[in-house]
Amino acid sequence: MPPVVRRLPAYEPPTGLGAGFIPRPRPRPRPVWVPVPEPPSPALDAARLVGMVLEVLDGRRPGRVLRELAVPGLAARLGALVRVRTTRMVRAPRVCHPARLVAEISVTVRRDERVVAVAARAEHHSGRWRFTTFAILE
């Protein structure tokens, strides 16, 4: 017996507005909450700030400068470390902002023929940046 060919029923959805077309309501898009971005941190000249502290520690600037650059406890602690020597930055400081008004600074310096690291944390208060931590890692 020869094969029998039969027509298949229509399986495509109807198109257009012809007979049998039933429009489905489209789901409404849900509102998406988009957070408002924080404004950027105020400008920070890390090389100048670190350089000024290093100049005080080397005895090339007066110690009263520390009162403007650091919180009181840190300024007193750094003031005790002043002695005559030569310190120069080897590279530009790297700055990281873990929060909007906080900056963490690291820099490599050459001090008396040795290369050491400086790590500092500065916070922005009353319109200016002040160091809250300053460490020379020898």
Side-chain angles (χ1 to χ4, degrees):
M1 189 155 136
V4 178
V5 177
R6 293 189 188 161
R7 182 177 289 260
L8 293 173
Y11 61 93
E12 293 288 327
T15 59
L17 298 176
F21 177 72
I22 301 172
R24 291 186 189 178
R26 293 183 181 221
R28 289 185 178 178
R30 291 184 148 178
V32 178
W33 179 77
V34 178
V36 177
E38 287 187 359
S41 291
L44 167 70
D45 188 358
R48 185 181 67 83
L49 285 176
V50 172
M52 288 174 69
V53 172
L54 292 174
E55 288 173 3
V56 170
L57 295 178
D58 291 349
R60 292 181 282 157
R61 279 187 186 255
R64 67 178 178 270
V65 174
L66 289 176
R67 284 184 267 155
E68 300 170 7
L69 299 175
V71 294
L74 178 64
R77 211 169 58 238
L78 289 175
L81 300 176
V82 175
R83 51 174 251 220
V84 177
R85 65 183 134 211
T86 304
T87 305
R88 300 277 185 247
M89 280 192 231
V90 176
R91 293 192 177 140
R94 294 179 183 257
V95 180
C96 168
H97 289 278
R100 182 172 175 268
L101 298 175
V102 176
E104 293 179 349
I105 305 165
S106 62
V107 64
T108 306
V109 298
R110 180 175 297 277
R111 175 181 253 190
D112 293 334
E113 303 304 320
R114 292 184 61 205
V115 176
V116 297
V118 172
R121 180 180 176 103
E123 295 182 9
H124 193 268
H125 291 290
S126 317
R128 65 186 320 155
W129 287 97
R130 291 182 151 217
F131 287 111
T132 56
T133 305
F134 193 93
I136 299 174
L137 311 171
E138 296 194 46

